[in-house]
């Protein structure tokens, strides 16, 4: 690596959606990538320059579109500093792009939380906001507080949209609830990605709500918060995989080794390798020891790294996205380029983020340097080294 914080030449094995180079150089000026070239081409353009030192494996900065907090801090808060600390924790651990997720709570609380997060999105600390609720099925609420679940209501949706002021990127909603179509139209009109989840419906209804017949193109944490896959009752899991395999939907997969078994992960990648978005569903306890925490209005207890609410439902994850990437490769047997795409370009596109998720000209200079075991060495975000 050579240069200053605003002018860098970074050399290594480059793996991204656009490149797979055994020996390449990424040129950074300011906060943007200005060139990605094989080493031989870089030398041909600069024959009198000393070649940069080989750094290791270079990946795009990871993109986490489902994240509730970390390092003891939460995104479901009206304290901007608390949310900022959570975001910066994930930045430093490789997730250079983070959507802040809020869970179901009283509508007034959700509005205030989203308004707080909007300020951080405007500053570039967050890439936007994900509303996971309140329009979810009570039978599949998981760690969502059932006291505050609502049927889809355009007036409530308008309040959340107004609070976000253009920074709401994703909204999770159960498609079988009365009022779904009206709220889905609101979301589509405001360029918010509709993500189906926390649903108790059948295959046909779930599939119909997904593209091309429906307006939803994303599925929230596949297999969690929905009926299990069964050969006589295929349900939302099979509907989502069918849509993903045909290129009409992206399915989130929580890659922490707790929410889904590695065999299930292997199946999902085999069915739709370019339509999987690895996510953490991280909560306050990510990066923290076992103990007592919170997710929205609910108390959470973490034992052996697994977070649960009082009824036993898993209450978010405690892993980083870099750990989820490693799980996909090491435990599920996913080829590294597919796993990298699932943690970068696929989630970025699903959330409508156009300048992150890849290593190519004009993208933000967000990248990771990892070793051959995918252990994190350094993180560059917007042209600045974080670690």
């Amino acid at each position: 690596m050579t240069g200053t914080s605003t002018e860098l030449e970074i050399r290594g094995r480059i793996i991204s959606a656009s490149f797979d180079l055994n020996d390449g150089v990424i040129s950074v000026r300011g906060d943007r990538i200005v060139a990605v070239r094989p080493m031989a081409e870089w030398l041909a353009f600069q024959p009198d320059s000393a070649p940069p030192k080989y750094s290791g494996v270079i990946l795009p900065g990871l993109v986490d579109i489902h994240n509730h907090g970390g390092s003891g801090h939460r995104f479901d808060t009206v304290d901007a500093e608390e949310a900022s600390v959570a975001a910066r924790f994930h930045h430093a651990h490789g997730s250079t792009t983070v959507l802040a997720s809020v869970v179901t709570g009283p509508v007034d609380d959700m509005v205030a939380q989203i308004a707080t997060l909007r300020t951080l999105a405007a500053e570039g600390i967050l890439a936007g906001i994900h509303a996971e609720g309140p329009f979810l099925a009570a039978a599949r609420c998981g760690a969502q507080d059932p006291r505050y679940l609502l049927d889809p209501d355009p007036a409530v949706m308008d309040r959340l949209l107004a609070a976000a002021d253009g920074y709401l990127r994703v909204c999770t909603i159960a498609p079988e609830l009365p009022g779904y179509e009206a709220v889905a139209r609101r979301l589509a009109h405001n360029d918010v990605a509709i993500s189906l989840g926390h649903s108790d419906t059948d295959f046909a209804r779930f599939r119909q709500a997904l593209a091309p017949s429906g307006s939803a193109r994303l599925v929230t944490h596949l297999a969690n918060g929905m009926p299990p896959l069964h050969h006589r009752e295929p349900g939302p899991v099979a509907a989502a995989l069918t849509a993903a395999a045909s290129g009409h939907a992206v399915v989130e997969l929580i890659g922490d080794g707790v929410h889904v078994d590695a065999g299930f992960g292997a199946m999902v990648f085999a069915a739709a390798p370019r339509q999987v978005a690895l996510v953490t569903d991280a909560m306050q306890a990510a990066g923290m020891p076992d103990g007592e925490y919170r997710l929205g209005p609910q108390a959470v207890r973490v034992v052996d790294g697994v977070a649960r609410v009082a009824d036993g439902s898993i209450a978010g994850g405690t892993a980083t996205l870099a750990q989820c990437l490693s799980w996909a490769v090491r435990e599920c047997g996913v080829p590294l380029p597919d796993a990298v795409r699932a943690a970068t370009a696929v989630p970025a596109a699903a959330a409508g983020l156009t300048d992150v998720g890849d290593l190519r000209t004009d993208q933000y200079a967000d990248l990771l340097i990892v070793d051959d075991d995918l252990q994190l060495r350094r993180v560059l975000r917007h042209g600045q080294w974080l670690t």
Side-chain angles (χ1 to χ4, degrees), residues 202-204 206-207 210 222-223 226-231 233-245 251 264 267 271:
D202 58 12
F203 177 99
F206 203 88
R207 182 67 189 87
L210 290 165
L222 182 69
M226 57 187 66
L229 178 67
H230 189 278
H231 61 287
E233 294 181 12
V237 175
L241 285 176
T242 301
V251 293
F264 182 84
M267 179 189 71

Side-chain angles (χ1 to χ4, degrees), residues 75-376:
F75 288 136
D76 52 329
T77 180
V78 293
D79 182 340
E81 180 58 25
E82 176 172 12
S84 177
V85 172
R88 294 184 193 282
F89 164 79
H90 286 286
H91 293 166
H93 286 80
S95 297
T96 53
T97 298
V98 175
L99 290 193
S101 303
V102 297
V103 294
T104 299
V107 173
D108 287 347
D109 290 356
M110 294 184 71
V111 167
Q113 292 161 7
I114 288 172
T116 299
L117 297 171
R118 176 192 72 208
T119 64
L120 298 180
E123 294 171 15
I125 297 170
L126 296 170
I129 302 161
H130 163 219
E132 190 177 10
F135 311 131
L136 310 174
R140 298 291 171 182
C141 64
Q144 304 274 337
D145 195 323
R147 294 175 296 172
Y148 304 111
L149 296 176
L150 301 173
D151 285 338
D153 182 336
V156 172
M157 193 69 252
D158 286 345
R159 291 188 64 194
L160 301 181
L161 286 165
D165 193 25
Y167 288 105
L168 185 65
R169 297 286 188 181
V170 178
C171 182
T172 299
I173 185 169
E176 71 270 25
L177 298 180
Y180 167 79
E181 294 294 346
V183 167
R185 285 193 295 271
R186 285 278 208 291
L187 293 169
H189 179 73
N190 285 275
D191 296 322
V192 178
I194 301 165
S195 190
L196 305 186
H198 287 282
S199 168
D200 198 42
T201 195
D202 58 12
F203 177 99
R205 182 68 191 87
F206 203 88
R207 182 67 189 87
Q208 170 121 24
L210 290 165
S213 56
S215 53
R217 294 182 175 273
L218 183 61
V219 176
T220 294
H221 47 49
L222 182 69
N224 296 113
M226 57 187 66
L229 178 67
H230 189 278
H231 61 287
R232 284 192 294 270
E233 294 181 12
V237 175
L241 285 176
T242 301
S246 60
H248 290 125
V250 167
V251 293
E252 290 183 358
L253 193 66
I254 304 175
D256 60 0
V258 173
H259 282 78
V260 297
D261 183 81
F264 182 84
M267 179 189 71
V268 173
F269 272 97
R274 292 176 176 265
Q275 299 297 118
V276 181
L278 285 168
V279 298
T280 61
D281 197 13
M283 48 82 69
Q284 183 183 18
M288 299 293 289
D290 288 355
E292 306 296 325
Y293 298 93
R294 296 196 70 80
L295 180 65
Q298 302 229 71
V300 175
R301 187 174 187 189
V302 178
V303 178
D304 295 331
V306 180
R308 297 185 186 274
V309 292
D311 70 2
S313 295
I314 300 176
T318 60
T320 65
L321 194 51
Q323 291 171 320
C324 295
L325 171 66
S326 181
W327 172 83
V329 174
R330 306 297 179 201
E331 303 299 325
C332 303
V334 177
L336 181 57
D338 287 343
V340 168
R341 191 181 298 110
T344 57
V346 174
L353 306 173
T354 58
D355 49 9
V356 296
D358 200 356
L359 296 174
R360 53 183 170 81
T361 302
D362 294 332
Q363 291 258 296
Y364 274 118
D366 294 349
L367 61 83
L368 316 182
I369 297 175
V370 301
D371 63 21
D372 290 339
D373 292 323
L374 300 180
Q375 295 301 302
L376 197 61

Side-chain angles (χ1 to χ4, degrees), residues 19-80:
F19 292 96
D20 191 342
L21 301 174
N22 283 329
D23 190 1
V25 178
I26 299 171
S27 300
V28 174
R29 301 295 180 270
D31 64 357
R32 298 282 173 166
I33 294 170
V34 296
V36 181
R37 292 174 285 199
M39 185 61 198
E41 183 179 319
W42 187 91
L43 287 170
F45 274 89
Q46 303 181 78
D48 299 325
S49 299
K53 181 181 177 182
Y54 191 90
S55 301
V57 180
I58 304 173
L59 310 178
L62 308 184
V63 179
D64 193 355
I65 61 173
H66 191 150
N67 189 314
H68 298 280
S71 190
H73 296 79
R74 300 157 54 188
F75 288 136
D76 52 329
T77 180
V78 293
D79 182 340

